[in-house]
C-alpha cells in the first residue's frame, strides 16, 4: 500500500506500518503520531530512537524490555503513547509491529 | 486509532498453578497493550499469586493434568512438582517471560487494576500486609460486578 504524507509517498502494510525503514524520517514520524493525536516531545523522540536502535540490533521488543530500557518507565510509556503503547510507538518509529505476547 | 469494540476485560483468577496465573497475566497485559482496559480479581487459591511470601513459589500441576504426559502416579512423587515447575520456569525465562512479582509490577504500571476477593482474604486469614503493595484494594463480589457493569466489558474465569 502507498500512503502520501506531506507529498511524500511511503510504503506501508495494511495496518499502516512502514515496510521500508529507509523511507522514514522525523517529519514522517511526526505526521504518523498526529494520526494518534500525539504531539511529539523530546521524551517521545528519545523513546522512538531507543526502539529504532533495538530493532536495528535485532532485539525483540516487549513491555518487559521497556521496563529495563532505562529510557522510560512503563507508566510514562502508556502516558506518552495511549491506546496500545508498543503498537503506536513502533508505527511512529517506522519499524515493524512487535510480535511478542508480552 | 480505531477504538476496539472490547473496551474492558475482567479476569477472575481462582487458581494458583503457574499455567493459570500466567494465562491471566498474559491476557490482562495483552489487553492493555491493545489499548483495552483490564482488571484481575484474585479469589480463592488465586490469592497465592498476590501473597508476598507465596508468589514466587507457584507450581505447575503435575497431578490430574493429562497434558504433562507423565503417569499420574509419577506426578505425585515427592519433588516432581518442584522439578516440573523449575523446568517450566526455565523455558519461560528463555521467552523473556517475567517472574510473577515482576509481572505484577508490569501489570500495575500498565494500569491493570489488581483486586483481592474479600471473602477469600477472610477465609485464609490474610492481612493487607500479606498482599503485594501494588494491590488496588479488597473487593466484595458485588463491588466487582459494579466494575463490570459497563458496555463492552467481558469477564473471564480462570
Amino acid at each position: 500500500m502507498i500512503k502520501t504524507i506531506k507529498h511524500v509517498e511511503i510504503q506501508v502494510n495494511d495496518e499502516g506500518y512502514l515496510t521500508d525503514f529507509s523511507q522514514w524520517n522525523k517529519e514522517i514520524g511526526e505526521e504518523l503520531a498526529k494520526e494518534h493525536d500525539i504531539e511529539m516531545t523530546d521524551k517521545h523522540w528519545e523513546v522512538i530512537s531507543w526502539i529504532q536502535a533495538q530493532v536495528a540490533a535485532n532485539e525483540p521488543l516487549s513491555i518487559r524490555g521497556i521496563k529495563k530500557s532505562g529510557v522510560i518507565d512503563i507508566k510514562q510509556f502508556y502516558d506518552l503513547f495511549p491506546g496500545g503503547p508498543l503498537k503506536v510507538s513502533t508505527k511512529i518509529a517506522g519499524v515493524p509491529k512487535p510480535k511478542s505476547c508480552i | 486509532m480505531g477504538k476496539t469494540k472490547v473496551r474492558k476485560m475482567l479476569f477472575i483468577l481462582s487458581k494458583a498453578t503457574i499455567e493459570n496465573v500466567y494465562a491471566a497475566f498474559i491476557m490482562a497485559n495483552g489487553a492493555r497493550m491493545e489499548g483495552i482496559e483490564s482488571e484481575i480479581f484474585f479469589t480463592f487459591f488465586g490469592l497465592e499469586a498476590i501473597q508476598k511470601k507465596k508468589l514466587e513459589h507457584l507450581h505447575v500441576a503435575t497431578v490430574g493434568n493429562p497434558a504433562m504426559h507423565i503417569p499420574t502416579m509419577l506426578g505425585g512423587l515427592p519433588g516432581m512438582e518442584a522439578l516440573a515447575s523449575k523446568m517450566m520456569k526455565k523455558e519461560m525465562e528463555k521467552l523473556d517471560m517475567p517472574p510473577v512479582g515482576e509481572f505484577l509490577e508490569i501489570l500495575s504500571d500498565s494500569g491493570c487494576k489488581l483486586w483481592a476477593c474479600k471473602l477469600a482474604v477472610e477465609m485464609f486469614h490474610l492481612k493487607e500486609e500479606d498482599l503485594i503493595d501494588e494491590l488496588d484494594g479488597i473487593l466484595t463480589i458485588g463491588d466487582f460486578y459494579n466494575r463490570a457493569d459497563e458496555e463492552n466489558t467481558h469477564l473471564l474465569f480462570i
Side-chain angles (χ1 to χ4, degrees):
Chain A
M1 242 163 73
I2 287 174
K3 183 171 173 168
T4 312
I5 287 187
K6 292 213 160 170
H7 311 295
V8 181
E9 287 191 343
I10 53 166
Q11 195 72 38
V12 296
N13 67 14
D14 50 9
E15 287 183 297
Y17 288 82
L18 251 78
T19 49
D20 178 4
F21 183 68
S22 70
Q23 295 181 324
W24 187 89
N25 59 46
K26 257 185 145 172
E27 208 178 12
I28 301 257
E30 212 154 335
E31 291 301 314
L32 292 169
K34 274 186 196 159
E35 292 175 8
H36 293 274
D37 298 319
I38 295 170
E39 200 63 55
M40 296 298 281
T41 63
D42 289 349
K43 193 71 199 171
H44 285 95
W45 288 120
E46 203 184 328
V47 177
I48 295 297
S49 309
W50 181 83
I51 287 173
Q52 289 168 341
Q54 290 294 107
V55 172
N58 256 325
E59 293 286 342
L61 289 168
S62 69
I63 196 72
R64 194 186 192 193
I66 292 289
K67 190 173 193 283
K68 292 178 181 166
S69 68
V71 173
I72 190 169
D73 65 33
I74 293 177
K75 270 185 201 163
Q76 278 180 304
F77 188 47
Y78 272 89
D79 285 344
L80 291 185
F81 302 98
L86 262 186
K87 258 178 20 179
V88 173
S89 57
T90 47
K91 193 181 281 183
I92 297 169
V95 301
K97 184 175 160 184
K99 289 193 174 73
S100 164
C101 282
I102 307 159
Chain B
M1 169 142 92
K3 289 253 183 286
T4 54
K5 287 200 186 81
V6 180
R7 213 179 69 73
K8 186 158 153 182
M9 289 296 300
L10 294 178
F11 301 90
I12 302 164
L13 178 68
S14 66
K15 300 172 194 78
T17 52
I18 287 177
E19 63 270 32
N20 286 290
V21 169
Y22 274 85
F25 285 10
I26 291 166
M27 282 193 272
N29 177 62
R32 294 299 301 128
M33 300 284 284
E34 290 297 312
I36 300 168
E37 282 180 52
S38 71
E39 307 193 5
I40 309 175
F41 184 67
F42 297 85
T43 188
F44 231 96
F45 294 121
L47 279 177
E48 302 226 334
I50 48 170
Q51 286 178 56
K52 287 175 190 162
K53 283 187 185 152
K54 292 191 173 168
L55 59 88
E56 297 299 356
H57 308 287
L58 306 180
H59 283 162
V60 286
T62 49
V63 173
N65 182 357
M68 289 304 292
H69 302 292
I70 53 173
T72 292
M73 302 253 308
L74 279 184
L77 288 176
M80 196 52 105
E81 212 174 55
L83 179 72
S85 303
K86 204 176 149 189
M87 284 163 61
M88 185 79 78
K89 283 181 183 168
K90 219 162 121 186
E91 290 304 315
M92 287 162 67
E93 187 60 43
K94 275 190 217 159
L95 291 172
D96 203 26
M97 284 163 78
V100 175
E102 188 189 334
F103 215 148
L104 286 164
E105 278 173 32
I106 290 175
L107 285 165
S108 176
D109 288 347
S110 303
C112 173
K113 298 271 181 246
L114 306 169
W115 307 109
C117 163
K118 186 167 184 292
L119 197 60
V121 166
E122 287 170 4
M123 191 175 79
F124 289 115
H125 306 293
L126 295 171
K127 295 189 193 69
E128 240 178 292
E129 58 262 33
D130 298 325
L131 304 172
I132 52 164
D133 300 329
E134 291 85 3
L135 196 69
D136 289 285
I138 299 173
L139 301 186
T140 66
I141 191 63
D143 297 333
F144 184 69
Y145 279 134
N146 284 338
R147 301 197 64 83
D149 193 18
E150 281 170 35
E151 265 180 62
N152 304 320
T153 296
H154 292 243
L155 280 96
L156 208 60
F157 189 87
I158 298 174

